[in-house]
Amino acid sequence: MDIVLDSIEHKQVIGLLEEHLADMYATSPPESVHALDLTELKQPNISFYTGWEQEQLMGCAAIKEINSTHAEIKTMRTTQLARKKGIASKMLTHLISVAKERGYTKLSLETGVEDYFAPARKLYEKFGFLYCDPFADYKPDPNSKFMTLE
C-alpha cells in the first residue's frame, strides 16, 4: 500500500470523508462529534494522508499539530473494502513515524465510547496508547475517550 500526503481533491477521498462524518453524526450526539470536515482538514497545521492499492483508496488519516511537541490523530478511517486487512494499522504506523520525524513527544486522539468505536480503541491500545484526560481544547465529555502515546 502506498501512503501519500493528500490534498483532498480526489472523488474517492471526498466520498470516504463524507461517509466518515455521516457515521460520526449517526453514532454520537452532535455536541460530541469532533470529526473535521473537508475545509477544516485543509488547515495548515494538519497533514492529511491517504492509503492506496493501485487506484483503490484503502483509508485515510490526519495528524494535527497542537504545538511543537504534541500532535493529534484525526480522521482515521478505512474503506469497507479495506476492513480487517491491516490497513488501519499501516495508517497508524505511518502517523506515528511522521510524529517521530517531526519531533513530537506526544501523540493523542479522541474517540467515542460507543461500541461502534471499540475496534478503534482496541487498535490504539495495541499500539500502546493509554487513556488520558482531555487535551488541547477538549473538555470532559461522557461520550468521548481520550488516549495518548508518549
Side-chain angles (χ1 to χ4, degrees), residues 121-141:
R121 292 191 307 267
K122 186 176 178 180
L123 172 70
Y124 298 128
E125 289 169 359
K126 181 176 110 178
F127 275 77
F129 282 80
L130 302 173
Y131 291 94
C132 65
D133 291 330
F135 58 91
D137 295 331
Y138 289 104
K139 305 287 184 242
D141 181 344

Side-chain angles (χ1 to χ4, degrees), residues 18-33:
E18 289 172 347
E19 175 186 294
H20 178 66
L21 277 174
D23 282 352
M24 296 305 97
Y25 281 101
T27 307
S28 299
E31 67 275 8
S32 296
V33 173

